[in-house]
Amino acid sequence: MCGRFTLTADANDLQQAFDLRTIPTTITARYNIAPTQPVAVIANDAPHDLTFFQWGLVPSWAKDTSIASKLINARAETLHEKPSFRSAYKRRRCLIPANGFYEWAKTPTGKKPMYIHLKDHQVFAFAGLWESWHSPDGDEIRSCTIITTTPNALIKPLHHRMAVILNPANYDLWLSGEELPPDILAPLLKPYPSDEMIAYEVSPHVNNVGNDTPDLIQPYHPPTQGMMF
DNA sequence: CCAGACGTTGTT
DNA sequence: GTCTGG
DNA sequence: CCAGACGTTGTT
DNA sequence: GTCTGG
């Protein structure tokens, strides 16, 4: 799945990768983006602008925002039928730029965090959905969720779900505001090729959402357990 | 008709 | 908002 | 995703 | 154990 990720590309890289109208001025390198935080998105209602939405979908009918942290991911297989996602799937799709993401691999000694990124180090885009929610006092909250699918060979040992990374050739189609037939969109939501990605262990510092520094993505070699005699 | 849910991951 | 369960 | 809280009444 | 906050 995807519960933590990075966005370290600079403004020029982002403008180029996503054909943005202007060079973003509000972007800073992030090494530990967590649910409920603002994330950079390119939404289909302004497909050449980078904006910030809250991570965790709040459907328009929600009474409050407490549902958000449960809706940080959306299963690709059932988007069209789930009340929380289907209207966004029809009309409110977005790109969520990232340079990499974290997975926590279960081991007999506990969970160890892994960092995964593209071999060519390029910025990529998760397939996302977005919503606009109006609070009782009239504020608008825009939120988003990251779509997941089955894992590729690299991720499979770590988790049974992985985030959808879109092929750049499909950015325009994904961002069309049209209600497209299922057989047009569904093929985009497939596992990214594992031979273009790499994974390695990182320090448990990433566990704490308050940590957000470049050392989080450095390869980590856990101290070996000494003999106790 | 109204009331209540609406989700994922992971674990059992 | 829209569907399901009662 | 992980970390941290998990309660009330009343007082400052 | 389960929910909330980040």
Side-chain angles (χ1 to χ4, degrees):
Chain A
M1 70 158 315
C2 186
R4 233 48 100 68
F5 67 97
T6 66
L7 180 59
T8 59
D10 67 30
N12 288 299
D13 291 341
L14 287 167
Q15 189 200 10
Q16 224 170 13
F18 299 105
D19 193 22
L20 300 177
R21 193 167 51 83
T22 59
I23 297 173
T25 54
T26 52
I27 201 84
T28 56
R30 292 291 314 276
Y31 297 89
N32 198 2
I33 300 171
T36 74
Q37 295 178 351
V39 300
V41 305
I42 297 145
N44 66 318
D45 66 338
H48 297 285
D49 291 324
L50 190 77
T51 53
F52 288 84
F53 291 1
Q54 187 175 299
W55 184 11
L57 204 74
V58 184
S60 60
W61 42 260
K63 291 184 186 65
D64 54 54
T65 59
S66 60
I67 196 172
S69 58
K70 297 173 185 167
L71 303 184
I72 65 169
N73 294 129
R75 291 177 64 92
E77 298 89 333
T78 51
L79 292 175
H80 57 97
E81 61 187 25
K82 296 293 186 182
S84 294
F85 301 132
R86 62 191 165 202
S87 81
Y89 184 44
K90 283 181 188 171
R91 307 194 174 285
R92 287 178 300 279
R93 298 181 292 267
C94 63
L95 306 179
I96 301 177
N99 285 86
F101 59 94
Y102 299 97
E103 295 286 356
W104 279 260
K106 280 215 189 83
T107 73
T109 54
K111 289 184 170 187
K112 64 178 185 183
M114 310 282 293
Y115 183 61
I116 299 100
H117 65 85
L118 299 187
K119 283 179 179 171
D120 66 9
H121 296 271
Q122 285 307 295
V123 65
F124 57 84
F126 292 126
L129 305 177
W130 65 275
E131 276 287 358
S132 171
W133 180 80
H134 290 92
S135 72
D137 31 303
D139 297 332
E140 184 193 27
I141 292 182
R142 288 189 168 212
S143 60
C144 60
T145 189
I146 294 174
I147 297 172
T148 65
T149 185
T150 51
N152 64 25
L154 182 75
I155 304 297
K156 203 160 201 164
L158 310 177
H159 262 283
H160 67 115
R161 302 294 296 172
M162 82 178 269
V164 171
I165 296 172
L166 289 170
N167 183 324
N170 292 324
Y171 288 171
D172 287 347
L173 179 58
W174 185 250
L175 288 180
S176 82
E178 303 301 312
E179 185 175 341
L180 298 167
D183 55 318
I184 300 293
L185 290 183
L188 310 194
L189 306 180
K190 297 300 172 193
Y192 200 79
S194 58
D195 58 7
E196 296 178 30
M197 307 171 77
I198 56 174
Y200 56 86
E201 186 173 356
V202 292
S203 133
H205 288 151
V206 71
N207 291 4
N208 193 319
V209 298
N211 297 328
D212 187 4
T213 49
D215 62 285
L216 298 188
I217 62 171
Q218 293 307 306
Y220 176 73
H221 306 289
T224 48
Q225 181 65 53
M227 295 298 163
M228 298 185 284
F229 286 107

